[in-house]
Amino acid sequence: YAGGAAFSYADVPASLNLTTSSHTCRIEVTNTVIRNSGGYGFYFDPDSIIPVFTGNTITLNTSGAGYVYSDLAGNFGAANTYTGNTVDALMITSDQITTSQTWENIGIPYYVVGPATTLNVRAALVLDLGVDIKFAAGSGMLVDAAGSLSAIGSAVDKITFSGFLSQIGYWAGLKFYNSNSIANALSYVSITDGGSGVLSYADVAAGLVVTVNGSPSQISIDNCNISSSGDYGIFLDIDTVINSFDSNVIELNTGGSVYLYADNVGSLTATSQYSNNTVNQVFINEGGGVATAQTWHAIDSDYVVGRTNINVGVSAGLTIEPGVTIQFAGGSGFYIGNSGYLTADASGGSVIVFTGTTAMNGHWMGLQFYNTNSALNILDNVTVEYTGYQTWSYASQPSAVSLA
């Protein structure tokens, strides 16, 4: 029956409080019942030291089980009971994690309080099976160059990232920025209702954002469900390294499934679902072109080269699988240079289609092969339509396919 008001140096009312002012504060809590608080069960300041927290029952508290700073969240293990409060949640405040830690499945959600708080992960963070993290409006999680995130769930115990409210585009999303750790992995993870706004160094808003600025980021994404974003499900920046991308479902997003750069398109596999979005497209930004030999797979959505009057340069071997459709915005096109080739061989399979985003004669440039003398330049069972926007360099007139 404590927690009538907040102590000095405490952010909120609670029954058990650890507060600091230029010193640390230490406590071990075992086999203790904390109940019937007018606020939270416990509150711990950022410089608190909690060597042991086990066997406790935190229940019947008005505001929630506890309110702690983010770098302490790994101290509260599953060997406690946190349920039966008016709000069954562990509130997470502050803006960074600087100590490597594991967040266990404690049976209630971790709530990242806001508004518009960015939880910066600057150490190795591991999420256990079934962990549930919810975010205030406009808030999000950022894994930066010093940090990594390993979120490996299972088909039975998925890890979830969502908003306080189930509302499309409610929170900012999960972002990796210059995080080049092999430990970055999402498996059996659900990310819903992100994409409230465009995050720094991203081209679009998305539930899952991987960005770079001078250094690469890398990530594995498998068996994940990414849905109900305010724009795209996933944004992948140029120079992002995709170690694995298998059996994902990207659906119910407002802007489309994936927005990525041309050299990463080959990372998308046919085992994933890209349809059932408001706009069923994988948006390709041509920046950097295709510089790595790859195959563009036949997926359940069209690829769209979406920026106008810009060509996708191909300076490596590019193979297009049978059944692929690529749409081109007005004035854009495919330019295959002397160090690249284009194999679009659908003999015996479904036709490959190169078309415009608008079904209008002369909408986009077409295909140009320039100084590429490769025997692997093949068009077989291919449709090229609505081209002839203007004459390619070194060509004498507009055409669907230009050799120069």
Side-chain angles (χ1 to χ4, degrees), residues 7 68 99 196 218 238 248 280 285 307 322 366 381 388 400:
F7 280 103
V68 302
T99 304
S196 61
Q218 65 174 304
I238 195 170
N248 302 296
N280 284 319
N285 186 312
R307 301 211 303 169
N381 193 21

Side-chain angles (χ1 to χ4, degrees), residues 263-349:
D263 206 33
N264 265 327
V265 175
S267 300
L268 304 183
T269 61
T271 59
S272 293
Q273 175 189 319
Y274 308 88
S275 57
N276 197 29
N277 296 281
T278 304
V279 181
N280 284 319
Q281 65 176 15
V282 169
F283 187 104
I284 301 172
N285 186 312
E286 80 297 329
V290 177
T292 306
Q294 60 188 270
T295 297
W296 290 11
H297 300 286
I299 60 175
D300 63 353
S301 181
D302 290 357
Y303 298 101
V304 178
V305 178
R307 301 211 303 169
T308 59
N309 301 311
I310 300 292
N311 298 315
V312 177
V314 179
S315 57
L318 176 59
T319 300
I320 309 294
E321 285 188 343
V324 166
T325 294
I326 307 173
Q327 300 182 30
F328 291 82
S332 64
F334 248 162
Y335 174 88
I336 300 92
N338 61 357
S339 57
Y341 64 80
L342 176 64
T343 300
D345 186 353
S347 55

Side-chain angles (χ1 to χ4, degrees), residues 30 79 88 132-133 139 157 181-182 224 231 234 270 314 337 350 358 385:
T30 58
D88 278 333
D132 182 9
I133 306 176
S139 297
D157 291 308
S181 172
I182 192 66
C224 293
D231 201 353
I234 302 175
V314 179
S350 299
T358 299
E385 60 187 6

Side-chain angles (χ1 to χ4, degrees), residues 18-265:
L18 265 69
T19 60
T20 63
S21 176
S22 73
H23 293 83
T24 58
C25 190
R26 178 188 180 99
I27 194 171
E28 295 184 9
V29 187
T30 58
N31 306 307
T32 298
V33 176
I34 304 172
R35 67 187 183 195
N36 296 107
S37 169
Y40 292 90
F42 56 84
Y43 165 80
F44 294 142
D45 244 2
D47 292 324
S48 300
I49 299 174
I50 310 132
V52 181
F53 193 94
T54 188
N56 304 298
T57 299
I58 301 96
T59 190
L60 301 174
N61 301 291
T62 302
S63 298
Y67 189 105
V68 302
Y69 278 71
S70 56
D71 218 21
L72 298 176
N75 288 284
F76 305 98
N80 300 280
T81 299
Y82 303 91
T83 56
N85 301 281
T86 305
V87 180
D88 278 333
L90 179 60
M91 304 298 182
I92 308 296
T93 188
S94 185
D95 65 348
Q96 59 183 331
I97 294 172
T98 59
T99 304
S100 294
Q101 58 190 270
T102 298
W103 289 13
E104 296 183 21
N105 181 356
I106 59 175
I108 60 173
Y110 297 86
Y111 274 13
V112 178
V113 300
T117 298
T118 298
L119 178 56
N120 292 280
V121 179
R122 294 174 174 157
L125 176 61
V126 176
L127 304 181
D128 272 353
L129 293 167
V131 164
D132 182 9
I133 306 176
K134 297 184 182 297
F135 294 84
S139 297
M141 179 180 285
L142 166 62
V143 183
D144 71 10
S148 64
L149 176 64
S150 175
I152 309 297
S154 72
V156 175
D157 291 308
K158 290 188 176 182
I159 296 167
T160 61
F161 296 82
S162 62
F164 283 4
L165 300 179
S166 180
Q167 178 180 312
I168 291 175
Y170 181 78
W171 63 290
L174 173 60
K175 175 181 175 180
F176 294 79
Y177 171 70
N178 283 358
S179 180
N180 195 26
S181 172
I182 192 66
N184 288 329
L186 306 178
S187 181
Y188 290 103
V189 169
S190 174
I191 302 173
T192 60
D193 297 324
S196 61
V198 181
L199 301 176
S200 56
Y201 301 103
D203 296 358
V204 294
L208 173 60
V209 173
V210 185
T211 62
V212 302
N213 182 29
S215 298
S217 289
Q218 65 174 304
I219 191 170
S220 297
I221 307 167
D222 301 299
N223 301 296
C224 293
N225 187 296
I226 302 169
S227 63
S228 301
S229 166
D231 201 353
Y232 285 83
I234 302 175
F235 169 76
L236 301 173
D237 210 348
I238 195 170
D239 294 330
T240 297
V241 177
I242 310 299
N243 294 316
S244 179
F245 193 96
D246 186 54
S247 300
N248 302 296
V249 176
I250 307 121
E251 64 176 353
L252 304 175
N253 301 290
T254 303
S257 58
V258 183
Y259 183 116
L260 79 172
Y261 281 71
D263 206 33
N264 265 327
V265 175

